[in-house]
Amino acid sequence: MKLSNSLSSRNSLGNVSLCQLQRAPGKVLLDAVCNHLNLVEGDYFGLEFPDHKKITVWLDLLKPIVKQIRRPKHVVVKFVVKFFPPDHTQLQEELTRYLFALQVKQDLAQGRLTCNDTSAALLISHIVQSEIGDFDEALDREHLAKNKYIPQQDALEDKIVEFHHNHIGQTPAESDFQLLEIARRLEMYGIRLHPAKDREGTKINLAVANTGILVFQGFTKINAFNWAKVRKLSFKRKRFLIKLRPDANSSYQDTLEFLMASRDFCKSFWKICVEHHAFFRLFEEPKPKPKPVLFSRGSSFRFSGRTQKQVLDYVKEGGHKKVQFERKHSKIHSIRGLAMQPTEPNSEVPKQSQQNASLTFREGAESPGSQSGQQGKELKVSAEEPGSHQSPSLKKSPPSNKKADGAIEVPMEEEEEIVKDRIQQSKPQSQQPSTGSLTGSPHLSELSINSQGGTAPVNVTLSPNLSPDAKQASPLVSPLLNDQTCPRTDDEEEVRRKRFPTDKAYFIAKEVSTTERTCLKDLEVITSWFQSTVSKEDSMPETLKSLIFPNFEPLHKFHTSFLKEIEQRLALWEGRSNAHLRGDYQRIGDVMLRNIQSLKQLTVHLWKHNEALEGLENGIKSSWRLENLCRDFELQKVCYLPLNTFLLRPLHRLVHYKQILERLCKHHPPSHADFRDCRAALAEITEMVAQLHGTMIKMENFQKLHELKKDLIGIDNLVIPGREFIRLGSLSKLSGKGLQQRMFFLFNDVLLYTSRGLTASNQFKVHGQLPLYGMTIEESEDEWGVPYCLTLRGQRQPIVVAASSQSEMEKWAEDIQMAIDLAEKNSGPAPELLASSPPDNKSPDEATAADQESEDDLSASRTSLERQPPHRGNTMVHVCWHRNTSVSMVDFSIAVENQLSGNLLRKFKNSNGWQKLWVVFTNFCLFFYKSHQDNHPLASLPLLGYSLTIPSESENIHKDYVFKLHFKSHVYYFRAESEYTFERWMEVIRSATSSASRTHHILSHKESHVY
C-alpha cells in the first residue's frame, strides 16, 4: 500500500508501520495522516483508492484496512477533499483552506471543475498570485509557459495576466480565500459525476453535495433533490432509489429510480450519499444499530466520524493545539531566482520536531488526460533516518464531549455566517497611530471588521480567518469567543455592583461617560489616525487638510476635557474620592450645562463639517492618490466604520446629549437640585440641534449615497443633486427560471435591482433600473401564486417581486408607493443611471436572459475592478443580502439616535461563565472590545434578523438583567449591571432587530428629506 508512489514497505507514518496499519481500521490511517499534517479539521478529507474492480472508492473508517485493500503493495491511497461545505468561511484553519485551494487547483487541471473562460482566468490569476507574488508581465508569461493549470490555457493567457494585475499586494492566504470564494459559486465545485440512466434510458450523471442529490446532463445541472425532500435512499442491485416526501405541489413520483453500471457502482454512490447526509445534516455521529440475533438484512454501513457541527464546535471551543502554519509564495524562489536552491517541497506544511517522516503535497498539476479518479494532491512520504525524536501520537483530537443540541433526525441549519472575529495581540498596542501598515484579510462576514490588505509588520494582528501566521487564533477561538482569554465574572461582579449608587440618575450620568468614551475614540480616527496617515503621504491638497482637521481638532479637545470632568464627577458620586462631599456631587446637570455652553462656542466648526464631507468625497473623485489613501485607511482595523461616517459623529453626539438630558428632566422632580441645570442644558442643546438638524440630514443622505456607490458596479452618476436614498434590501424577482434573489435599491426617482456578482471586490452588479415616474404597484399573490408578491408596472417591462414575509412586503409597498408619489411631483422622468445597464424594454426572453446571474460578471468593467476596494463583504448591503431583509433611511436615522456603549457580561448557550466585554452599539451592529481603551474592536455582530428576548426559566440563567439574542442556531446572552442599563440596551437593540414603521417616524423626518 502506498501513499502516492514513493512509500516503500519499510516506510512508516509517525511511529506506526504500514504493516500495522493494514490490520487497523481505516480511521487509524486517516488520523495518522491528519496528525502528520497537524490538520485539525481533517474530517472534511478522506482517503480514496481503486478497489479490486478498479472502482475508486473511499476508505471505510470502521472496517480493517486489510479487508478493503486486497493487494496493498500495488495500491495508491490518495488524501483528498471529501466534504465541500457550502461556504469556505466555515473552514476555520489556515491550513485547511490551503488544502482546499490545492484541491481546486487539481480539479481545474483535470477538467473536473468546468467553468467559462472568464472564471477560469480569474481562478488561475489567484493561483499565480499565490505562487509567484505580485504582477510582473514578463515573469507571469514565463511562469504560465512552464505551468499548465487548465486545458487550452494558452488562449486565456492575456486574460489571466490582466486579472493578475488587479491582485497587487494580495498575500498567498488572501489569494487562497479569493480562489475559494469564486470556486464555490461554480456549478461543478466539489462535484464528482457518477454515470447513470433514468427510467427512459437517457444517459445522465448523479452527484451528491452538501445540499442534497444532484442530476446532471453532461455538465449541466437539470435537477436537484434537497435533503429536506428526501425521505429514504436505497439501492437494489444496479438500481438507485430516492424516495421523496409527499408534496402536493410537486409533479415528481413518490420514488425515483436510476440505473447504474453495476451493483458495486450503485452501492459506492449510496454510501457517499449516506455520508454526506450525515456529515452536513446531523448534529452528532449516528449510533451503531444493534446486531441482529439470527441474520441481518441490508447493509450495515453507517457514517463514522464527527459531523460538521461537531467539527465547528470543537474548533470553537479551542480544544486543539495551535501549530504554526505560515503561508508563503510557493514558487517565488524558483521563478525569480531569489534563492540558490529550489524551495523545499514541504515549505508550506507546518513542521514538527517530533516526527520521523516528512509529509507534503505535490504542487505540480497533473495532465488533463489523467484518470478522473485521481483527484486531489497526493501525499508524498519519505522516511528519515531513525533518531532520538519521538513520534507523534496516532490519536486524533477527541471530539467534543459536549452533548449536541437536538436529536439526530433534526437537520443542521445551513447559514452563511458573516461572522469574523478579530483577536487582540498579546503585547500592548502603541497609543500612537501606526497607520498605513495595519492590515487584515478580506472576508465575508456575520462578526466582521473592515480590515484587508497586504503585508503587515510584526506588531500588527491580522484577520485570524486569513492570517498567514498560525499563531493567530481562528475566528472561533478569539478572545471574544474563548473563555480562557477573558476573566470570569459572576458573584464578585455582583458584590462590586452593590457598592455603587442605585439611583437612576447615576446610571444616566454613567451613560454620558461611556458614550463619551466612544465619541472621543471616533474623533481620534480623524484627528489622530487619519491625520497621521495623510501627513505621511502627499496626496491630499492643503486646502482640503485645512478644511477637515482644524474643524475637528477643537472638538476633540472639548470632548477630552468634558470626559475628564464627567469621570471626576462620577468618582465623587461613587464615593471613590472625597467621600464627605458625596451629597453635593450626586448630580450631573451643572457639568452638562457648563460644557454645552462651551460647545456652543464651537458651532462655527460644526457648520463646516458638511463642507468637509463634500470636499473629501470630491477630492476622492478627482484624485486617484487620495482615493487609494482613503481606501487603504478604511482597511485598517481602527476604521471600523466607513471613513465618511466618522465625519458625522460630532453632529450625532448633539442628538445624544439632547436625549440624555430629556431622560434626566423626566426623572427628576422640579424640586430636585439638579432639575434646573438639566432643563437649562436641555434648552441650550435643543437650540443647537434645531439649527444643525437640516445639515445633519443632508450629510447623512450624502454619506449613504457614497457608501452605496462603493457596493455597486457600473453606476456612473448615483450621487446627483436632489437624489435621496429611501430603502435597500433583498427581494426575489420572478423570471423564466423561477424566483431569483436580487438586491433592490430604492431612491426617490428610481428603483435599481442587482445581484451579487462574482467580482474580486464582492460588489453588486446592476441588472436594471425602473424609473418611478409613471409606475404603479399592486399586490399579485393570487395572480402568480407566490406569497408576499408585488407587481411593479412602469414605462417599460413590468417585473414581479416577492418579499420574505408579510411585514417586509408591506414596508416595500409603502416606501415604493411613497417614492412614486414624490416622483410624480417632480418635473419629469429621472435621468438614466447606467450607460451599460440592460434595457428593460425588451422581450420577456431577452429580459430573462439578461437577468440571469452570469459568470461573465467577473469581468464587469476593468475600471470598476481597479477603482474599488479588494473586498466588500461586510457592509450593510451584504448583511441584508444574507439575512434576506431590508433597511430604510428612516431606520438609519433612528439608528443614529440609538447608539450606546458600556460594559456587558456575555455568555454562550453552552458555556459556563460570563465574560466581561466593552460593547459599542452603532450602525445596527454590536462591536466588542476587551476594554474601552482598545483602539479597534475584536469582533462585531450585525443584529439585523436577530430576535431579542428575555431568557425563559428552562434556560437556567438565574441572573438579573439578562437579555438574549437569537438567530437560527446562534444564541448569545448578555447581562447588564442595573435595571436602567438593561432597559437601555433592550431599547437600542430592539431598534436594530425590528425595523421601524415608516408611518410612525416619517413626520419627524419628512420636512428634512427633500424627496
Side-chain angles (χ1 to χ4, degrees):
M1 178 176 60
K2 298 180 182 179
L3 290 172
S4 181
N5 55 4
S6 60
L7 186 62
S8 63
S9 59
R10 62 183 174 85
N11 292 137
S12 63
L13 191 65
N15 61 349
V16 178
S17 67
L18 293 181
C19 295
Q20 292 174 319
L21 285 175
Q22 291 175 27
R23 295 188 292 271
K27 181 174 174 56
V28 174
L29 178 58
L30 180 61
D31 288 353
V33 174
C34 293
N35 283 332
H36 209 89
L37 287 169
N38 290 316
L39 182 60
V40 176
E41 298 172 298
D43 304 81
Y44 291 100
F45 300 83
L47 298 171
E48 65 172 15
F49 65 96
D51 66 4
H52 63 288
K53 294 185 178 180
K54 304 301 180 184
I55 300 174
T56 300
V57 295
W58 293 101
L59 188 69
D60 192 323
L61 301 185
L62 296 178
K63 282 187 179 181
I65 297 174
V66 69
K67 290 188 177 182
Q68 303 182 65
I69 301 178
R70 302 284 181 86
R71 302 175 64 189
K73 291 185 178 180
H74 303 282
V75 172
V76 175
V77 179
K78 296 177 182 176
F79 179 75
V80 294
V81 176
K82 186 175 186 179
F83 301 112
F84 291 81
D87 184 1
H88 61 286
T89 59
Q90 294 175 342
L91 306 175
Q92 308 301 335
E93 295 291 313
E94 189 71 51
L95 175 59
T96 313
R97 285 190 293 273
Y98 168 60
L99 299 182
F100 266 73
L102 292 182
Q103 184 72 69
V104 170
K105 177 181 171 184
Q106 181 80 4
D107 290 351
L108 271 175
Q110 294 179 348
R112 189 192 301 274
L113 182 59
T114 58
C115 55
N116 64 26
D117 290 349
T118 304
S119 299
L122 189 55
L123 288 167
I124 296 173
S125 70
H126 285 295
I127 296 174
V128 172
Q129 176 72 18
S130 70
E131 291 186 349
I132 66 173
D134 286 345
F135 171 80
D136 184 311
E137 184 166 357
L139 293 175
D140 276 17
R141 297 191 183 277
E142 179 186 351
H143 181 75
L144 291 171
K146 295 179 180 179
N147 298 271
K148 297 299 179 185
Y149 298 103
I150 195 172
Q152 291 83 44
Q153 178 177 297
D154 294 343
L156 302 178
E157 185 172 312
D158 291 340
K159 192 172 286 190
I160 295 170
V161 172
E162 179 183 351
F163 280 133
H164 186 207
H165 183 264
N166 297 326
H167 306 331
I168 292 176
Q170 195 167 275
T171 65
E174 292 168 347
S175 298
D176 290 346
F177 183 92
Q178 295 291 354
L179 180 74
L180 296 178
E181 173 68 20
I182 297 162
R184 77 180 181 91
R185 300 170 183 276
L186 301 178
E187 199 164 62
M188 296 302 294
Y189 174 64
I191 296 300
R192 294 186 174 204
L193 299 178
H194 300 260
K197 294 181 180 179
D198 61 13
R199 284 188 174 181
E200 286 72 33
T202 304
K203 291 184 178 181
I204 58 169
N205 289 304
L206 297 178
V208 63
N210 58 82
T211 56
I213 298 173
L214 312 177
V215 183
F216 288 81
Q217 201 156 35
F219 290 102
T220 304
K221 184 171 70 174
I222 60 174
N223 214 335
F225 303 101
N226 293 336
W227 293 126
K229 298 180 181 178
V230 177
R231 183 179 174 187
K232 182 180 179 181
L233 295 174
S234 61
F235 70 96
K236 188 173 183 181
R237 297 185 179 90
K238 297 192 294 183
R239 291 182 297 153
F240 181 73
L241 306 173
I242 304 176
K243 192 168 186 178
L244 301 176
R245 298 185 186 277
D247 186 355
N249 299 322
S250 175
S251 60
Y252 297 115
Q253 302 174 11
D254 178 56
T255 303
L256 301 175
E257 182 178 312
F258 301 93
L259 192 66
M260 306 193 81
S262 67
R263 179 185 182 278
D264 290 336
F265 275 109
C266 195
K267 183 176 182 180
S268 174
F269 181 65
W270 173 79
K271 284 183 175 181
I272 297 170
C273 293
V274 170
E275 290 180 315
H276 273 73
H277 176 268
F279 183 77
F280 288 109
R281 297 284 287 182
L282 300 187
F283 282 177
E284 59 185 11
E285 178 183 355
K287 297 177 181 177
K289 297 179 181 179
K291 292 185 178 180
V293 178
L294 297 176
F295 58 89
S296 62
R297 181 181 179 184
S299 174
S300 61
F301 175 79
R302 67 179 177 87
F303 171 74
S304 175
R306 295 183 292 194
T307 65
Q308 188 190 33
K309 182 181 186 302
Q310 289 176 311
V311 175
L312 294 174
D313 289 343
Y314 174 71
V315 179
K316 171 181 175 181
E317 292 163 8
H320 59 286
K321 182 180 178 181
K322 296 294 295 181
V323 179
Q324 182 176 1
F325 173 69
E326 185 176 1
R327 180 76 170 91
K328 298 180 179 179
H329 295 295
S330 52
K331 296 188 177 181
I332 189 169
H333 297 297
S334 59
I335 293 298
R336 302 191 175 185
L338 297 180
M340 295 298 294
Q341 296 179 351
T343 309
E344 293 181 7
N346 64 333
S347 61
E348 296 183 22
V349 177
K351 296 181 180 180
Q352 288 183 347
S353 60
Q354 298 179 346
Q355 64 183 32
N356 295 40
S358 61
L359 183 59
T360 66
F361 282 82
R362 291 181 177 178
E363 280 279 359
E366 295 183 9
S367 63
S370 60
Q371 294 182 4
S372 61
Q374 295 178 349
Q375 179 187 15
K377 296 296 170 189
E378 298 181 357
L379 291 174
K380 178 181 178 181
V381 181
S382 58
E384 296 179 357
E385 291 299 324
S388 59
H389 298 303
Q390 296 180 358
S391 298
S393 169
L394 282 175
K395 289 185 179 180
K396 194 173 182 180
S397 303
S400 170
N401 295 326
K402 182 178 59 180
K403 187 175 180 180
D405 298 311
I408 290 180
E409 291 81 5
V410 180
M412 186 175 67
E413 285 269 10
E414 283 182 24
E415 177 191 354
E416 183 155 5
E417 187 70 11
I418 311 173
V419 179
K420 181 175 69 174
D421 295 315
R422 302 201 174 265
I423 52 178
Q424 190 180 40
Q425 58 192 117
S426 57
K427 62 177 78 174
Q429 273 195 334
S430 170
Q431 295 301 315
Q432 296 298 322
S434 56
T435 53
S437 59
L438 282 167
T439 61
S441 302
H443 189 273
L444 251 172
S445 52
E446 268 163 347
L447 283 157
S448 174
I449 299 290
N450 299 345
S451 178
Q452 314 154 26
T455 58
V458 177
N459 66 337
V460 174
T461 304
L462 298 182
S463 164
N465 267 14
L466 283 177
S467 170
D469 187 356
K471 291 180 181 178
Q472 310 295 343
S474 70
L476 295 179
V477 202
S478 75
L480 175 66
L481 304 178
N482 187 1
D483 291 343
Q484 297 175 357
T485 56
C486 293
R488 303 277 179 150
T489 52
D490 286 317
D491 295 334
E492 69 275 8
E493 190 69 22
E494 293 181 7
V495 172
R496 187 187 65 82
R497 268 207 315 263
K498 290 175 182 177
R499 296 201 306 265
F500 285 165
T502 57
D503 183 19
K504 181 179 179 179
Y506 162 77
F507 291 106
I508 297 177
K510 193 171 182 181
E511 182 183 334
V512 179
S513 170
T514 56
T515 53
E516 192 69 18
R517 287 172 178 170
T518 300
C519 176
L520 192 58
K521 284 288 184 183
D522 289 347
L523 278 172
E524 287 173 357
V525 173
I526 299 295
T527 61
S528 181
W529 298 88
F530 186 54
Q531 188 171 14
S532 175
T533 301
V534 169
S535 65
K536 296 175 184 176
E537 303 282 346
D538 187 23
S539 55
M540 179 180 284
E542 290 298 326
T543 54
L544 184 55
K545 290 181 184 178
S546 61
L547 183 60
I548 296 177
F549 302 119
N551 286 307
F552 278 85
E553 287 167 347
L555 292 165
H556 178 268
K557 185 178 180 180
F558 161 78
H559 285 285
T560 303
S561 173
F562 182 36
L563 176 60
K564 184 178 180 181
E565 192 171 350
I566 287 288
E567 291 182 335
Q568 288 173 348
R569 175 58 58 89
L570 285 174
L572 296 174
W573 200 331
E574 295 165 0
R576 285 182 280 168
S577 61
N578 295 335
H580 62 283
L581 298 175
R582 285 179 59 189
D584 296 331
Y585 288 98
Q586 290 185 341
R587 55 197 176 96
I588 197 72
D590 58 328
V591 178
M592 296 288 291
L593 177 59
R594 187 165 53 251
N595 281 276
I596 287 174
Q597 288 173 342
S598 300
L599 182 59
K600 287 190 74 173
Q601 308 303 317
L602 302 176
T603 306
V604 62
H605 298 293
L606 294 170
W607 281 110
K608 288 286 187 180
H609 288 185
N610 185 33
E611 295 180 36
L613 177 61
E614 292 181 355
L616 179 61
E617 293 298 343
N618 291 334
I620 290 173
K621 185 177 180 180
S622 59
S623 170
W624 278 79
R625 295 180 63 188
L626 181 58
E627 179 185 13
N628 291 333
L629 181 143
C630 294
R631 181 183 62 195
D632 293 342
F633 181 76
E634 280 193 328
L635 302 181
Q636 298 182 25
K637 295 178 184 178
V638 70
C639 190
Y640 67 102
L641 297 171
L643 174 60
N644 53 18
T645 303
F646 293 101
L647 298 179
L648 293 167
R649 283 303 197 233
L651 290 176
H652 290 164
R653 190 59 179 152
L654 301 181
V655 178
H656 303 156
Y657 290 154
K658 181 173 179 287
Q659 292 177 326
I660 287 169
L661 286 165
E662 285 173 345
R663 284 195 292 272
L664 280 170
C665 289
K666 185 177 180 180
H667 170 69
H668 290 315
S671 58
H672 194 279
D674 204 26
F675 180 78
R676 183 187 298 269
D677 287 338
C678 288
R679 189 172 61 177
L682 177 59
E684 297 276 6
I685 197 66
T686 301
E687 181 184 352
M688 291 183 65
V689 170
Q691 291 174 354
L692 293 163
H693 185 66
T695 300
M696 183 174 67
I697 294 298
K698 180 181 177 182
M699 290 176 66
E700 286 175 354
N701 182 71
F702 185 79
Q703 182 270 332
K704 188 57 60 182
L705 290 176
H706 278 279
E707 184 181 341
L708 294 178
K709 184 179 177 182
K710 297 177 183 177
D711 282 311
L712 299 175
I713 289 181
I715 291 184
D716 295 327
N717 56 339
L718 178 66
V719 185
I720 60 174
R723 174 162 291 147
E724 295 283 338
F725 164 70
I726 298 177
R727 180 175 288 275
L728 66 86
S730 173
L731 292 172
S732 296
K733 180 177 178 293
L734 188 63
S735 65
K737 287 193 174 182
L739 291 173
Q740 295 180 315
Q741 186 180 9
R742 293 288 179 261
M743 199 70 187
F744 281 73
F745 299 83
L746 176 64
F747 304 93
N748 63 335
D749 57 348
V750 71
L751 176 65
L752 302 180
Y753 61 92
T754 68
S755 66
R756 196 170 70 161
L758 299 179
T759 63
S761 55
N762 218 22
Q763 294 161 292
F764 285 81
K765 171 74 174 178
V766 175
H767 282 259
Q769 55 175 318
L770 300 170
L772 299 180
Y773 185 79
M775 179 184 287
T776 60
I777 179 173
E778 60 187 41
E779 293 187 23
S780 52
E781 181 174 339
D782 296 336
E783 179 181 354
W784 297 100
V786 178
Y788 320 125
C789 184
L790 297 170
T791 298
L792 306 177
R793 304 184 188 276
Q795 304 167 355
R796 303 174 182 177
Q797 184 80 15
I799 68 168
V800 180
V801 297
S804 59
S805 65
Q806 179 70 27
S807 62
E808 277 292 302
M809 182 190 74
E810 292 172 355
K811 292 174 190 174
W812 276 105
E814 183 181 358
D815 280 354
I816 292 174
Q817 186 59 58
M818 183 197 67
I820 292 173
D821 294 341
L822 293 171
E824 295 290 340
K825 297 176 183 178
N826 292 338
S827 56
E832 292 293 319
L833 276 180
L834 311 172
S836 58
S837 174
D840 282 310
N841 54 349
K842 49 184 176 281
S843 68
D845 293 338
E846 290 174 336
T848 299
D851 193 47
Q852 302 305 318
E853 258 188 76
S854 169
E855 292 168 0
D856 291 331
D857 289 350
L858 289 166
S859 56
S861 68
R862 178 170 180 171
T863 304
S864 296
L865 278 178
E866 289 176 350
R867 294 179 63 90
Q868 297 299 338
H871 196 275
R872 287 185 61 82
N874 47 18
T875 65
M876 183 57 61
V877 178
H878 288 83
V879 174
C880 289
W881 172 269
H882 291 293
R883 304 276 173 85
N884 202 16
T885 186
S886 68
V887 291
S888 68
M889 192 63 202
V890 172
D891 296 325
F892 282 106
S893 298
I894 295 169
V896 166
E897 301 170 4
N898 289 279
Q899 297 183 17
L900 194 60
S901 307
N903 286 310
L904 285 176
L905 301 179
R906 201 273 350 263
K907 178 185 179 299
F908 282 109
K909 179 172 61 176
N910 296 311
S911 62
N912 295 322
W914 296 81
Q915 300 173 12
K916 185 177 179 181
L917 296 167
W918 176 261
V919 184
V920 174
F921 175 76
T922 185
N923 267 33
F924 307 96
C925 192
L926 290 176
F927 293 92
F928 301 97
Y929 300 74
K930 197 170 184 180
S931 78
H932 67 85
Q933 297 173 336
D934 292 352
N935 288 322
H936 60 81
L938 299 166
S940 67
L941 179 64
L943 295 184
L944 286 177
Y946 268 80
S947 298
L948 175 66
T949 58
I950 298 175
S952 62
E953 288 291 332
S954 61
E955 292 172 88
N956 296 320
I957 297 299
H958 305 308
K959 298 288 183 183
D960 294 330
Y961 315 131
V962 176
F963 59 90
K964 172 184 173 183
L965 284 170
H966 177 260
F967 177 74
K968 292 189 176 179
S969 60
H970 302 272
V971 177
Y972 305 93
Y973 299 101
F974 293 94
R975 189 165 135 218
E977 64 178 350
S978 69
E979 182 179 2
Y980 171 79
T981 52
F982 167 76
E983 291 173 352
R984 283 290 293 137
W985 280 107
M986 291 282 286
E987 178 185 352
V988 299
I989 291 176
R990 191 177 288 114
S991 70
T993 55
S994 57
S995 296
S997 168
R998 170 170 290 274
T999 55
H1000 181 71
H1001 295 274
I1002 192 65
L1003 294 178
S1004 62
H1005 295 271
K1006 192 171 183 180
E1007 292 181 359
S1008 303
H1009 284 74
V1010 190
Y1011 287 125

